[in-house]
């Protein structure tokens, strides 16, 4: 006998995201190569790159979080506002507020625009939500 389980939980809709073609390619490769070591965050990053709208590398994206962007965001649970630069893992340095895209919050930030909110899961399996307040592209 087959049993159907009713679940009233509805996952929040994911905000639309935009990634350039070269970043999408590099992030997808990073997610694939990291699956064995960081499976949860690698799967999350892979999902984000798969669902992103991919645009040409020379597209103007002033309010979109890209690699190297300086991002100000709010932790919606605590209200804390943080400013970080989103970088590839080898460039990460928490003392300089340079966070890796291969962290849960880093993977959540990529491709978002000012005003958008996204949920992500912390390493301790808690769901957190962040809202993008400002994005500055580094030159």
């Amino acid at each position: 006998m087959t049993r159907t389980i009713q679940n009233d939980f509805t996952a929040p809709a994911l905000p639309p995201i935009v990634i350039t073609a070269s970043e999408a390619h590099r992030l997808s490769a990073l997610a694939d190569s990291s699956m064995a070591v960081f499976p949860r965050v690698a799967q999350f990053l892979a999902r984000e790159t798969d669902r992103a709208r991919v645009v040409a590398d020379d597209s103007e994206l002033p309010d979109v979080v890209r690699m190297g962007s300086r991002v100000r965001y709010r932790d919606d649970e605590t209200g804390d506002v943080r400013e970080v630069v989103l970088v590839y893992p080898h460039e990460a340095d928490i003392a300089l507020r340079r966070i890796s895209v291969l962290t849960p919050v880093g993977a959540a930030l990529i491709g978002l625009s000012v005003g958008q909110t996204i949920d992500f899961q912390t390493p301790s399996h808690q769901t957190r939500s962040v809202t993008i307040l400002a994005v500055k592209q580094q030159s």
Side-chain angles (χ1 to χ4, degrees):
M1 179 171 147
T2 305
R3 199 167 93 178
T4 304
I5 298 173
Q6 180 89 19
N7 186 350
D8 292 331
F9 175 76
T10 303
L14 294 170
I17 60 174
V18 179
I19 301 175
T20 64
S22 62
E23 286 180 359
H25 178 74
R26 190 167 175 191
L27 292 171
S28 181
L30 177 63
D32 289 346
S33 68
S34 302
M35 283 292 177
V37 181
F38 306 110
R40 285 185 36 236
V41 73
Q43 288 172 358
F44 181 60
L45 181 60
R47 182 198 74 185
E48 292 300 277
T49 57
D50 286 348
R51 73 179 190 86
R53 180 170 61 93
V54 178
V55 299
D57 288 342
D58 61 353
S59 297
E60 291 291 323
L61 301 172
D63 294 332
V64 174
V65 178
R66 300 179 59 186
M67 297 307 299
S69 295
R70 181 170 299 282
V71 184
R72 195 170 77 238
Y73 68 91
R74 179 183 62 240
D75 179 316
D76 295 329
E77 182 176 314
T78 65
D80 292 344
V81 174
R82 296 183 177 94
E83 188 169 306
V84 299
V85 176
L86 186 62
V87 298
Y88 290 101
H90 69 279
E91 301 168 311
D93 185 335
I94 198 67
L96 298 175
R97 296 185 310 207
R98 297 173 62 86
I99 65 164
S100 171
V101 70
L102 205 52
T103 62
V105 70
L109 294 173
I110 191 70
L112 290 175
S113 299
V114 173
Q116 287 184 310
T117 298
I118 192 168
D119 292 343
F120 68 96
Q121 196 172 68
T122 68
S124 61
H125 301 280
Q126 295 177 317
T127 299
R128 298 298 284 263
S129 176
V130 294
T131 300
I132 304 300
L133 303 176
V135 176
K136 181 178 180 187
Q137 304 306 333
Q138 305 288 34
S139 24

